[in-house]
Amino acid sequence: MKGMSVLFDEDALVLGIETSCDETSAAVVRGGKTIMSNVIASQVDLHAKYGGVVPEVASRKHVEAIIPAVDTALHQAGVSLAELAGIAVTYGPGLVGGLLVGVSAAKAIAFGGQVPLVGVNHIEGHIYANFLEHPELKAPLICLTVSGGHTDLLYIPAFGAYELLGRTRDDAAGEAFDKVARVMGLGYPGGPQIDRLARDGNPRAVELPRALSQEETFDFSFSGLKTAVLNYIHRERQSRKDGPLPEELLADLAASFQAAVVEVLSARTIEAAKEKRVRTVVMSGGVAANSLLRQEMSGAGAREGIAVYYPSLVLCTDNAAMIACAGYYRFRRGDRASWSLNAEPDLRL
Ligand code: KG4
Ligand code: ZN
């Protein structure tokens, strides 16, 4: 493979491929920081009518979309296969069917073009979205990763090293947003809908639990909060003889729920930074797009002299540019995947 002679310098072009959930994405990134293209074919509309991602439907859609996405990413970047220094692909965690589509496509393209291949952990990709926009970021860092499948609080003492400080004991933060949105009759994905609706609501209108706040732990729990919201909705519906709930009540509920989630996320994250004596916090994952979370974390950080970073909206949710970026740094560390690279749905950091 020509990989042995390729130097992953500041001009190295890496093609990233991401298919772990419901976005088929391909991107070309130069030197781990300049996004030349970032094509994201979303299946959100397809899954919306089911209220969540249907794995079988997702895999079939990835098969259709992957080659056009890669072609478009190369075309938009004005880059040919021969010019690539490497290909980085998400191989886990995620839905096995989707992962297999991405890994197979990446292996085929790498084999055909004689380009080195590297496997990237999806969560690591989310973390590296921060480095795309702030290449000057240096370890040690505290990272809050909050997506539809994960709520992890990580200590990053050095590049590529991760210590899990805490995680959710039940639902992921994004999952809680999606489930609450569904019972409120909002669309899928629920996070952005609640974020929008909450702007018109009073965050103190409905009293909701903050789980584990009295415990000495960096873990999270959102299932009690979710149940409290469900019970509240049932009570209000009953008192209206199953009639529709008024818009103000829904806005107040959205605001109160969002405030409860954000309060625990930001309190624990800042607490972790203080305990580890770390002055920089980064956020990643779809829920890092939440406007209140961004605002609260920045505010809490500023009060403690801690710098808080988060990726721009498009880089918070699933995309291949973050995979190309994480892959670039893996290549630089000498990492290479063999042709036996496989999808690992339960991959850990
Ligand atoms: O990282 P991501 O795109 O996919 C996963 O790897 O899970 O995250 C998707 C999750 C969904 O649960 C979605 O509702 C949530 O991120 N999300 C938000 C916002 N935008 C997306 N949650 C709260 N506020 C938002 N603005
Ligand atoms: Zn994700």
Side-chain angles (χ1 to χ4, degrees):
M1 235 192 272
K2 83 176 180 190
M4 300 311 132
S5 58
V6 171
L7 214 57
F8 282 86
D9 59 15
E10 298 208 331
D11 294 322
L13 295 166
V14 173
L15 170 70
I17 293 179
E18 156 64 42
T19 57
S20 69
C21 191
D22 60 347
E23 337 273 355
T24 315
S25 182
V28 177
V29 172
R30 183 198 294 275
K33 59 179 174 211
T34 311
I35 301 175
M36 316 282 290
S37 61
N38 190 18
V39 177
I40 305 169
S42 174
Q43 307 177 3
V44 160
D45 298 345
L46 193 65
H47 299 286
K49 59 174 178 284
Y50 305 106
V53 180
V54 184
E56 271 311 304
V57 176
S59 330
R60 261 177 269 153
K61 203 69 197 168
H62 283 305
V63 173
E64 285 171 31
I66 187 67
I67 298 301
V70 170
D71 279 343
T72 310
L74 290 172
H75 181 76
Q76 282 181 4
V79 165
S80 71
L81 199 52
E83 290 171 279
L84 293 176
I87 297 176
V89 62
T90 305
Y91 71 111
L95 301 171
V96 67
L99 291 169
L100 279 171
V101 174
V103 169
S104 311
K107 281 205 264 189
I109 299 167
F111 188 78
Q114 289 292 293
V115 184
L117 178 70
V118 76
V120 171
N121 180 307
H122 180 77
I123 302 302
E124 187 172 48
H126 274 303
I127 296 168
Y128 274 77
N130 286 288
F131 295 102
L132 269 174
E133 281 167 333
H134 309 287
E136 73 283 3
L137 272 174
K138 295 239 176 344
L141 304 164
I142 291 290
C143 178
L144 175 69
T145 301
V146 269
S147 70
H150 299 268
T151 306
D152 293 341
L153 189 54
L154 300 161
Y155 171 49
I156 305 179
F159 253 110
Y162 305 99
E163 183 192 320
L164 185 65
L165 299 176
R167 61 188 325 200
T168 182
R169 293 184 185 173
D170 38 62
D171 292 344
E175 196 179 353
F177 269 97
D178 294 338
K179 286 178 176 169
V180 163
R182 182 153 59 179
V183 293
M184 288 175 71
L186 308 170
Y188 172 86
Q193 314 270 1
I194 290 186
D195 197 343
R196 210 169 306 131
L197 189 57
R199 275 173 214 159
D200 305 321
N202 172 7
R204 279 176 292 277
V206 185
E207 211 173 298
L208 295 168
R210 269 73 169 153
L212 311 180
S213 56
Q214 305 306 320
E215 275 186 50
E216 284 254 348
T217 176
F218 286 124
D219 280 350
F220 303 97
S221 165
F222 297 109
S223 72
L225 172 60
K226 179 190 67 191
T227 308
V229 172
L230 300 195
N231 291 341
Y232 179 83
I233 290 176
H234 287 314
R235 271 199 313 276
E236 291 296 326
R237 283 222 176 100
Q238 267 174 355
S239 75
R240 286 174 178 75
K241 308 213 166 8
D242 284 337
L245 299 179
E247 195 64 26
E248 311 86 71
L249 182 142
L250 289 176
D252 282 349
L253 184 59
S256 302
F257 164 75
Q258 178 174 267
V261 175
V262 165
E263 193 181 300
V264 284
L265 289 176
S266 62
R268 288 242 157 60
T269 306
I270 297 299
E271 200 51 50
K274 284 165 69 179
E275 184 169 310
K276 291 285 181 187
R277 299 178 185 282
V278 169
R279 315 256 26 103
T280 313
V281 163
V282 299
M283 290 197 276
S284 64
V287 183
N290 185 267
S291 58
L292 183 69
L293 181 61
R294 292 159 92 98
Q295 188 187 318
E296 286 289 309
M297 288 275 280
S298 301
R303 285 192 290 279
E304 301 288 346
I306 294 166
V308 175
Y309 293 84
Y310 39 77
S312 59
L313 290 179
V314 62
L315 295 178
C316 279
T317 45
D318 292 350
N319 68 88
M322 68 187 194
I323 303 302
C325 175
Y328 168 82
Y329 287 101
R330 287 206 156 264
F331 278 125
R332 280 183 71 107
R333 291 198 295 269
D335 195 3
R336 301 287 185 277
S338 75
W339 297 126
S340 62
L341 180 72
N342 203 355
E344 290 186 36
D346 301 316
L347 183 68
R348 294 272 192 113
L349 262 181

